[in-house]
Amino acid sequence: DLKATVLSAASPGEQKEMLGERLFPLVQAIQPTMSNKITGMLLELENSELLHMLESPESLRSMVEEAVEVLQAHQA
Amino acid sequence: SSSVNWPPEFRPGEPWKGYPNI
């Protein structure tokens, strides 16, 4: 399990990497085609928010949907 | 322009480069 105490022992970059490794498969299950970029976007959020998303499928899903909209607007 | 490359892609198993170490 990924806990805040484990994260606090790592560098900021390593923290994002650990969170990304756990978020990516979950994002991929929701939105397979843009999962790399969506995970990249989510990693710009606070680590506390990312930890919350890992524990709350509803939060993750709504953030992924929001990220898809932002991404599509950005690419348009 | 840097906005063209936004957002950075996360790739499992690779170092995360999108977020600079502070």
Side-chain angles (χ1 to χ4, degrees):
Chain A
D1 250 24
L2 193 62
K3 295 282 184 281
T5 48
V6 176
L7 282 180
S8 66
S11 73
E14 287 170 339
Q15 292 174 19
K16 294 294 179 184
E17 235 168 273
M18 286 187 218
L19 289 161
E21 294 288 350
R22 281 162 179 81
L23 279 168
F24 181 72
L26 302 173
V27 172
Q28 206 172 24
I30 298 169
Q31 178 54 261
T33 54
M34 296 184 281
S35 46
N36 296 97
K37 282 190 175 293
I38 292 166
T39 306
M41 281 177 70
L42 295 181
L43 288 178
E44 294 182 338
L45 299 170
E46 294 289 333
N47 287 351
S48 58
E49 287 187 75
L50 298 173
L51 285 168
H52 175 66
M53 275 185 249
L54 285 171
E55 290 173 1
S56 168
E58 296 81 14
S59 300
L60 178 68
R61 179 171 288 276
S62 69
M63 285 306 298
V64 168
E65 285 169 3
E66 203 174 302
V68 169
E69 286 175 22
V70 172
L71 200 54
Q72 285 172 342
H74 179 74
Q75 288 174 342
Chain B
S1 159
S2 61
S3 71
V4 173
N5 295 320
W6 185 91
E9 293 192 10
F10 177 82
R11 299 201 172 276
E14 294 182 16
W16 172 238
K17 297 202 175 71
Y19 199 89
N21 287 4
I22 302 160

